[in-house]
Amino acid sequence: MNILVTGGFGYIGSQVVPELARRGHTVDIAARSVPEHFASLAQQHAFRQWDIREAWRGASPARYDLLVHLAAANDVDCVDAALALQVNALGTRHALEFCRAHAVPAIIYVSTFQVYGVWHGTVTDDTPPAPANDYGVTHWFAEEYVRMYGRTGGPDHVILR
């Protein structure tokens, strides 16, 4: 498959990209910039500069079968509520619009367990979301964007927490 990974130089993305490539997929990385310590990873995969806070401009650089959406503001950055909304919620909407505009048939969105808020005990598929901070609520909002696009002709989707 041809796969685009947003946030491919992040904590999770820097592990996912090489694993996808090891499994035989062609993997491109979309990120704001290439951190110096990931220069070798950037040399092994096509780098697509994209600040997820903005809509994609122009034509798709390739035909993708899947977008793995990992770009997000972390829980420390989310003390800035505006940044949390721009990156986690609106950024996810931009990723979905990219999929729709460029016929990417599927997206995997990686969310967080923090959509459950402060929780004690076992979390199941029936546990209701109850975010307790901007990090959790913006990921929950992003999940809702993914579901909405799924209901309205957007890409097939999987949400991981």
Side-chain angles (χ1 to χ4, degrees), residues 78 81 84-85 88-89 109 131 133-143:
C78 286
L85 280 166
N88 297 348
Y109 173 62
N133 57 35
D134 289 317
Y135 182 71
V137 79
T138 56
H139 274 281
W140 180 69
F141 191 40
E143 288 182 18

Side-chain angles (χ1 to χ4, degrees), residues 69-87:
H69 183 45
L70 300 169
N74 63 35
D75 54 347
V76 174
D77 291 337
C78 286
V79 297
D80 179 342
L83 179 67
L85 280 166
Q86 289 172 341
V87 176

Side-chain angles (χ1 to χ4, degrees), residues 112-120 123 127-133 136-137:
T112 176
F113 73 93
Q114 288 196 39
V115 300
Y116 299 115
V118 179
W119 195 263
H120 302 285
V123 174
T127 303
N133 57 35
V137 79

Side-chain angles (χ1 to χ4, degrees), residues 139-157:
H139 274 281
W140 180 69
F141 191 40
E143 288 182 18
E144 288 300 305
Y145 266 139
V146 173
R147 289 182 193 97
M148 179 187 79
Y149 272 71
R151 288 188 303 271
T152 59
D156 290 337
H157 63 277

Side-chain angles (χ1 to χ4, degrees), residues 97-117:
E97 281 295 317
F98 177 88
C99 290
R100 184 175 275 170
H102 302 288
V104 180
I107 185 170
I108 296 173
Y109 173 62
V110 178
S111 184
T112 176
F113 73 93
Q114 288 196 39
V115 300
Y116 299 115

Side-chain angles (χ1 to χ4, degrees), residues 7 12 15 17 27-28 31 33 35 41 66-67 76 84-85 89 96 100 114 124 141 151 156:
I12 296 172
Q15 303 300 310
V17 167
V27 183
D28 293 358
S33 61
L41 185 61
L66 173 67
L67 189 147
V76 174
L85 280 166
L96 291 157
R100 184 175 275 170
Q114 288 196 39
T124 70
F141 191 40
R151 288 188 303 271
D156 290 337

